[in-house]
Amino acid sequence: MEFGVVFQCDPPASEVIGLARQAELAGFSYVWTFDSHLLWQEPFVIYPQILAATERVTVGPMVTNPGTRDWTVIASQFATMNEMFGNRTICGIGRGDSALRTLGAKPGTLAQLKDCVRVVRGLARGETVTYRGQDLKFSWVSDGKLDVWVAAYGPKALALTGEVGDGYILQLADPDIAAWMIAAVRASAEKAGRDPMAIRFCVAAPAYVGDDLAHQRDQTRWFGGMVGNHVADIVARYGAAGTVPTALTDYIKGRHGYDYAEHGRAGNTHTDFVPDEVIDRFCILGPVEHHVNRLKELRELGVDQFALYLQHDEKEETLAAYGRDVIPQLPS
C-alpha cells in the first residue's frame, strides 16, 4: 500500500512546504492539497515549491474541478510542472464543492467533468484534443504523463469514474462503503471495455494516532460534515434508499445547513449532527494497531493508497507515527 497526505493551503505556505518535506522523509509517496481558492491559498502556486523541496513525492489537488479555471490552464499547469520536475504530478478532480459554492455557483455537471478529464489529461500528455471547437496541442510537451483520479460518491459519478478515471478517490475509510464503491467503479470499467483491475483506488480520510479517542473525535468531526455535503446532494437527487449504502446516507438526517467559512476545520460548529459512530467508521483513530488493522482491511478490498487528512492539532506527531509505526507494516 502507498501512502499520501492531504493538506489545506493555510498560510503561511512555508508550513505546508515544510510538512510536505516531513511527509516524504516519513515514507509518504503522495502530497495532496485542498483546492478552494477563496478559503485557502492558491495551491498551484505552492505545488512547484513542494516539488522543488522534495525528491520523489507525487503532488496534486484533492480535488480540483472543471469550473474555477479554464481546462487548458489546468493542463498547462500540470504539464509545466512535469517538465520542470519529471512527471511528478497527479490530478484529483470532482464536480466541485467548496471552490464553487463559495462563489455562489453550483457543482459542475457529470458531462463537464467527463470532458474536462479528457481535455486536461490529453493536453498534459502531449496529445491533440478538441476543445471549444478547436484542435489543441501543447507543442512543447514531450514524454508528458498525467493520471487523473476522479472523486465520486453517487452512482452516476461512480459509473463515470469507471469509464474515464485512471484512479478513484473515496473520501472516507469505512470498509463496507469502500467495498460497495470499488465494486461499482470496477463494474462500470468492465462495461466500458476497460480493465477494471487497472484502476487505482485511493481512500482518503482523517487519521489521528493516540489514546484520547474523545479528543480525536472532536478534532475530526468536521470530516463527517464535509462528506455530508456530497451525501446531501445524492439524497436530493436519488432519494435516501436504494442507490448507495444506507450507512452513507442515514447519518445526514440531522443535518441543518453548512457554513463553508468553517469547511474542513476542527471545531466546525455546523457538524454537531455527526455521531461518534460515523466518525469512527469514516476516520481512522486510536492507537497504532487500530490504524494498521483498518488499513489491512482496506488493502484486502483493493485499496492501493491511503491518503490521510491532516487537519487536526497533532500534524507532525501523526506524520512521525505513520512513518515510524504504520507504513513499515504495510509495504507497497
Side-chain angles (χ1 to χ4, degrees):
M1 177 178 277
E2 293 186 301
F3 288 83
V5 59
V6 188
F7 298 117
Q8 289 170 339
C9 294
D10 282 317
S14 58
E15 288 190 5
V16 179
I17 297 162
L19 286 168
R21 189 183 300 111
Q22 290 181 43
E24 180 175 77
L25 293 173
F28 289 80
S29 301
Y30 290 80
V31 172
W32 306 84
T33 77
F34 283 53
D35 177 12
S36 194
H37 61 288
L38 290 178
L39 296 178
W40 304 289
Q41 293 182 321
E42 169 57 39
F44 281 90
V45 176
I46 298 173
Y47 295 151
Q49 296 297 319
I50 294 175
L51 289 162
T54 56
E55 296 180 356
R56 59 174 181 78
V57 290
T58 299
V59 178
M62 187 179 285
V63 295
T64 194
N65 67 85
T68 54
R69 302 177 184 85
D70 183 88
W71 303 349
T72 61
V73 173
I74 299 173
S76 184
Q77 289 168 324
F78 282 115
T80 302
M81 288 187 290
N82 282 340
E83 188 277 328
M84 293 173 67
F85 298 103
N87 291 322
R88 287 173 54 204
T89 68
I90 189 168
C91 179
I93 194 167
R95 292 173 55 229
D97 180 39
S98 62
L100 292 172
R101 295 188 195 274
T102 52
L103 289 170
K106 294 180 179 180
T109 67
L110 290 177
Q112 289 171 328
L113 176 58
K114 183 176 182 178
D115 208 27
C116 184
V117 170
R118 175 187 62 83
V119 170
V120 170
R121 179 170 57 202
L123 285 174
R125 290 180 176 181
E127 301 167 2
T128 299
V129 305
T130 301
Y131 177 59
R132 297 185 177 178
Q134 303 291 318
D135 290 337
L136 306 175
K137 177 182 173 67
F138 294 150
S139 61
W140 47 270
V141 171
S142 61
D143 192 33
K145 294 181 175 64
L146 182 70
D147 284 348
V148 180
W149 292 21
V150 181
Y153 293 103
K156 291 183 179 179
L158 292 168
L160 181 149
T161 304
E163 293 170 8
V164 304
D166 299 300
Y168 167 54
I169 297 170
L170 172 61
Q171 296 176 88
L172 56 82
D174 182 303
D176 292 334
I177 296 174
W180 192 94
M181 300 291 190
I182 290 171
V185 171
R186 283 182 172 159
S188 173
E190 187 170 15
K191 185 177 179 180
R194 304 179 69 203
D195 178 2
M197 304 308 293
I199 299 175
R200 305 279 290 173
F201 292 96
C202 173
V203 160
Y208 196 139
V209 179
D211 297 319
D212 189 347
L213 193 57
H215 178 71
Q216 293 176 13
R217 286 168 174 161
D218 286 342
Q219 286 285 303
T220 57
R221 198 175 304 274
W222 64 267
F223 184 67
M226 186 185 82
V227 173
N229 294 331
H230 301 284
V231 175
D233 281 347
I234 295 170
V235 172
R237 182 171 301 181
Y238 301 105
T243 55
V244 295
T246 56
L248 180 58
T249 59
D250 278 355
Y251 85 98
I252 69 162
K253 292 176 182 177
R255 180 178 181 270
H256 299 288
Y258 189 81
D259 184 355
Y260 278 92
E262 297 181 321
H263 187 61
R265 298 190 183 278
N268 188 323
T269 59
H270 293 78
T271 58
D272 290 345
F273 70 92
V274 182
D276 289 350
E277 181 265 339
V278 164
I279 301 170
D280 293 346
R281 288 194 292 111
F282 285 13
C283 306
I284 305 183
L285 311 177
V288 167
E289 58 266 27
H290 288 188
H291 293 250
V292 172
N293 291 339
R294 177 80 68 85
L295 291 170
K296 285 181 176 179
E297 189 175 0
L298 290 168
R299 185 176 61 179
E300 288 298 310
L301 296 175
V303 174
D304 301 289
Q305 179 187 156
F306 175 61
L308 64 91
Y309 281 101
L310 209 61
Q311 287 76 45
H312 55 62
D313 59 1
E314 294 286 352
K315 295 179 177 65
E316 295 185 10
E317 293 81 358
T318 297
L319 283 177
Y322 260 70
R324 181 183 63 247
D325 301 321
V326 178
I327 293 176
Q329 298 193 57
L330 293 130
S332 300

